[in-house]
Amino acid sequence: MSARPEHTPAPTRLSDYRPPAWRVDAVQLDFDLGIDTSEVTARLQLRRDHAQDEPLRLDGEGLELLSITLDGEALAPTAWRYADHVLEIDGARDGSVLETRVRLKPAANTALEGLYLSGSREAGFLLTQCEAQGLRHITFFPDRPDVLATYTVTLRADRDRFPILLAGGNPDGTGELEGGRHWARFVDPHPKPSYLFALVAGRLEKIERDYTTADGHAVKLVMWSEANVIDRCHYALDALERAMRWDEQTYGRNYDLDVFHVVATHDFNMGAMENKGLNIFNAKYLLADPDSTTDDEYRAVEAVVAHEYFHNWSGNRVTCRDWFQLSLKEGLTVFREQSFSADMNSAPLKRIEDVSLLRRAQFTEDAGPLAHPVRPSEYREINNFYTATVYEKGSELVRMTAGRLGRDGFRRGMDRYFERNDGRAATIEDFLTALGEANDIDLSPNLAWYGQAGTPRLKARGDYDAARHQYTLTLSQHTPPSHGQPHKQPVPIPVKLALFGHDGRMLPLHLDGQAAAGETESVAVLDQPEHSFVFRNVAEKPVPSLLRGFSAPVILECDYAPHELALLLTHDVDGFNRWEAGQQLAARAFDALRDGGDDAAPVAWCDALAALFAQAELDDALLAGLLTPPGELELADRQPEADPARIHALRQSLLQRLASRIGAAALHACYQSLAAPTELDLGAAGQGIRRLKRRVLELLALIDAERAHALAATQYDNAQGMTDRLAALDVLVRNQATQGDAALAHFRARYDDNALALDKWFMVQAQIPGEPALARVQALEADPKFTLKNPNRARALLGTFASANPSGFHRADGAGYVLFAERLAQLDALNPQIAARLATAFNGWKRLEPVRREAAREAMAQLLGRPALSRNLGEILGNMLQD
């Protein structure tokens, strides 16, 4: 099926790129702000590309044009045309000044793109979101990332209703106006693309701190939020200072304005936005306190604050030539953020978390109808390409390059990249060229990674010649075909590796073709379909440890015996590869249970983990990770026809077998030893204790439910922070414990006025496994605190149900699909971006067993056939239903 809504726009293609015929060197924006209506006057200093003979065309959507002048003269109606979201103007010359005045309706803007109202009419505030193409909803402008201009912004508003006026850049004056109004002006001296424009106006409180950069520049750091949550911004302010210091030390990058404003809002489509000098954050990634924030959320706040700050250079000072280069800023900045988080916390655990997300989100995306390259060749709706492929896989491609160049070489390359492209709109070629030239290496073969969809499959086969003491490792690669790309070329895959002896020792490596010999770790680069690597002086048949640290984003296929994986799980000194061996062994154990195969893998997995559980020296957080097998979504990806209900049951059976092998007494003793200290420890040790305690409690519930439920109820009552409280609540609710209803009622009453904590209340219930989930979701939709108008609340209930609860969503009767499709239609009428992103939960539908597959297809087809569907949702559904 290939039907699409009739209004779906024609694709934009990378091959059609041309530089802008008209640029804007400087823009002055004057706002008269109001909730129901706001007026915007834009004064554009134009520059023409004399090589192109095209009239001036400006983007504009949903704008009421009030006046238009060119070089001070009002234009006659015959001198301009406004149709199909484009304003075309006759008579413009190089150096002309165009002035337009338009009217907007912020309160009616439920799409949360452009200028809109966050919160209630009485107490909310105005703000903007302009990435990717939001400025065209505010004023007429060549709304593309390669048009860089300096911005002078003047805001005017009623002082009582909007006492705080903020925009990007440096403050440049304030004053009083008649009628109880006031004004504020901001100037950004750094040329920037239109998507980085931002303003905020309303009643907000602040905390602030003075900061001096490494090059001696004084900066005021300011966090803004509504008054009732301002005391929850201190952790984010600390994280911002840590990120700024790290970027100075690691990349030599200093902040370049006099102020750095960060604003929290509960109504935001994205996680956060890096607008120059005025970052706007979804409150979920800014507000934090022990009572309502989990350990995972603390780390997420730190990471997202750092991510948006790092954009100041990798995205703002050096931006993207076009949206096809989106990963140039996002993938690169995710890598920088991940490196920062690894330095601030546990590097092995961070790597495990990042790869888990990659497999859960991006590998699944790569394997379905929404697969696309990191740099796609075309798009219809750019907002649909803010994906795991662009972000997470893009980060992995940067990591591969950094690993090849080494720490010093990568820093040299990044210095050259920033210096050469400062103030420019760059491409991925510019990035690779700068890094390669700084290290005298040709990195152009890496472009193949950016242009192909799909996850390469790396096959490894080892042969040992005992007589010659020689080990040959043969590696081959294949990337499955995807829509529009039936044939894939080989890509350079760096395989970091080590060899282990039967006693768990790392063996010295003598690899043919490498100068250094005797090291215990090396990198073999596979850049062709197949190649054999020969290791000499290998005293015994080794066990290879491959893709150490996950050195490339591929799927490894290696015919390990269960005892070999158990050896790596027990002895590998690479924390990631130890975990990875456990994941592979658990997947083998799952396959054995599913197929009724021999018991070797389940026994090896359970025995190895039981032995590790008994060791006191293993890190608590790492042990918790080792005790967690692949999730249901990852296990489904291993099957040609998935039955989510059966997968859930088999995974629970596997976990129950592990719990029985460890034993209820040992689990209970471990839990008691992890009793909460008298004071909440937010450091790595405290987080590790809480992570392991939760895992132990979940395992105990599988074999001694009554005791585990009693412990969970006590833990809930006595919890000192949200991590322990939510873990206990989750155990009670998912296992339908008798204490669960009381705990839910208490949680709801305690956090009724805390939006972020209440999102967790919805999420816990949306993850109830199996058929009961649908009825619970339907009941929660009637809750007075549920609304489709708030993206976080919609994601908490509907997004969690559809994306994080396979056995509940994928009912055999298709009722989950019908409900979800109906809500997507309702949401699409309010906020097309959120509807489209939630709809990606259908991405794996073609790998479902036939009954569910047909039910999912029918639900999507009916939804696609509805009138007035947005181009955002229409593109996602059309892509998923394509043949």
Side-chain angles (χ1 to χ4, degrees), residues 1-8 821 825 857-871 873-882:
M1 181 173 183
S2 58
R4 293 182 182 273
E6 293 182 0
H7 60 277
T8 298
R857 189 206 62 78
E858 179 64 22
M860 286 189 290
Q862 290 194 14
L863 178 57
L864 183 60
R866 294 194 180 210
L869 209 65
S870 74
R871 61 178 183 247
L873 184 56
E875 180 182 28
I876 292 295
L877 294 172
N879 286 343
M880 283 193 287
L881 289 170
Q882 65 193 355

Side-chain angles (χ1 to χ4, degrees), residues 360-378:
R360 189 170 62 249
Q362 197 280 319
F363 278 18
T364 300
E365 187 170 88
D366 246 352
L370 297 183
H372 61 275
V374 171
R375 182 167 66 180
S377 59
E378 67 177 49

Side-chain angles (χ1 to χ4, degrees), residues 364-551:
T364 300
E365 187 170 88
D366 246 352
L370 297 183
H372 61 275
V374 171
R375 182 167 66 180
S377 59
E378 67 177 49
Y379 64 80
R380 295 176 184 270
E381 171 52 60
I382 185 55
N383 286 305
N384 288 340
F385 277 92
Y386 284 74
T387 62
T389 296
V390 167
Y391 280 68
E392 273 66 45
K393 186 173 182 178
S395 171
E396 292 299 320
L397 302 191
V398 176
R399 183 181 297 275
M400 283 197 308
T401 303
R404 179 176 180 182
L405 300 180
R407 180 183 295 272
D408 293 341
F410 187 67
R411 170 63 188 272
R412 281 195 306 274
M414 289 302 298
D415 285 347
R416 179 167 298 193
Y417 170 68
F418 286 135
E419 291 162 5
R420 177 178 292 175
N421 296 287
D422 190 6
R424 293 184 61 247
T427 65
I428 289 169
E429 284 86 352
D430 293 329
F431 175 69
L432 293 176
T433 297
L435 267 63
E437 287 181 357
N439 293 275
D440 197 25
I441 295 175
D442 179 15
L443 293 176
S444 60
N446 287 26
L447 286 169
W449 276 102
Y450 287 92
Q452 294 185 166
T455 304
R457 307 187 82 90
L458 176 70
K459 289 188 177 182
R461 184 184 73 252
D463 294 297
Y464 181 65
D465 186 332
R468 303 175 63 185
H469 290 175
Q470 180 174 296
Y471 177 72
T472 301
L473 177 66
T474 301
L475 301 176
S476 62
Q477 62 170 295
H478 169 70
T479 303
S482 58
H483 183 75
Q485 291 185 327
H487 305 292
K488 306 296 175 72
Q489 66 183 94
V491 293
I493 301 175
V495 182
K496 195 174 185 179
L497 55 85
L499 301 178
F500 281 79
H502 69 277
D503 58 356
R505 291 182 302 106
M506 295 177 72
L507 303 177
L509 300 180
H510 301 270
L511 175 59
D512 278 1
Q514 292 202 359
E519 299 290 335
T520 57
E521 194 173 67
S522 185
V523 176
V525 179
L526 177 68
D527 55 7
Q528 49 193 294
E530 182 173 296
H531 186 74
S532 294
F533 300 87
V534 178
F535 298 84
R536 304 191 185 281
N537 302 324
V538 183
E540 59 182 293
K541 182 180 180 181
V543 176
S545 173
L546 304 175
L547 287 175
R548 294 170 70 76
F550 201 64
S551 57

Side-chain angles (χ1 to χ4, degrees), residues 319 539 693 695 711:
T319 194
K693 182 164 59 174
R695 195 75 198 109
L711 291 172

Side-chain angles (χ1 to χ4, degrees), residues 764-815:
V764 164
Q765 297 175 81
Q767 293 184 82
I768 293 174
E771 295 197 355
L774 179 62
R776 182 65 66 96
V777 168
Q778 291 172 315
L780 289 170
E781 287 184 311
D783 189 283
K785 287 297 178 74
F786 179 74
T787 174
L788 288 176
K789 293 182 178 180
N790 179 261
N792 285 351
R793 193 56 45 84
R795 283 186 286 249
L797 182 60
L798 298 174
T800 300
F801 172 61
S803 296
N805 187 355
S807 65
F809 176 56
H810 296 286
R811 292 165 57 106
D813 62 6

Side-chain angles (χ1 to χ4, degrees), residues 640-642 817 844-860:
E641 293 188 346
Y817 308 142
W845 73 276
K846 290 185 178 181
R847 296 193 303 279
L848 294 168
E849 53 78 28
V851 173
R852 289 175 171 85
R853 184 165 65 238
E854 175 57 25
R857 189 206 62 78
E858 179 64 22
M860 286 189 290

Side-chain angles (χ1 to χ4, degrees), residues 562-571 582 585-586 589 599-615 618 623 626-627 654-663:
H563 74 273
E564 292 177 319
L565 289 171
L567 182 143
L568 295 176
L569 171 58
T570 304
H571 295 289
L585 187 53
D599 228 20
V603 168
W605 185 62
C606 291
D607 285 352
L609 288 178
L612 289 173
F613 190 85
Q615 296 177 10
L618 201 62
L623 178 58
L626 296 178
L627 293 170
L654 182 64
L655 284 168
Q656 188 174 39
R657 182 163 179 166
L658 173 63
S660 297
R661 176 63 180 83
I662 295 172

Side-chain angles (χ1 to χ4, degrees), residues 81-102:
R81 293 157 296 284
Y82 181 28
D84 297 327
H85 310 311
V86 174
L87 176 65
E88 185 172 286
I89 299 164
D90 298 329
R93 308 182 312 274
D94 187 22
S96 284
V97 175
L98 178 75
E99 185 172 301
T100 60
R101 187 169 181 83
V102 302

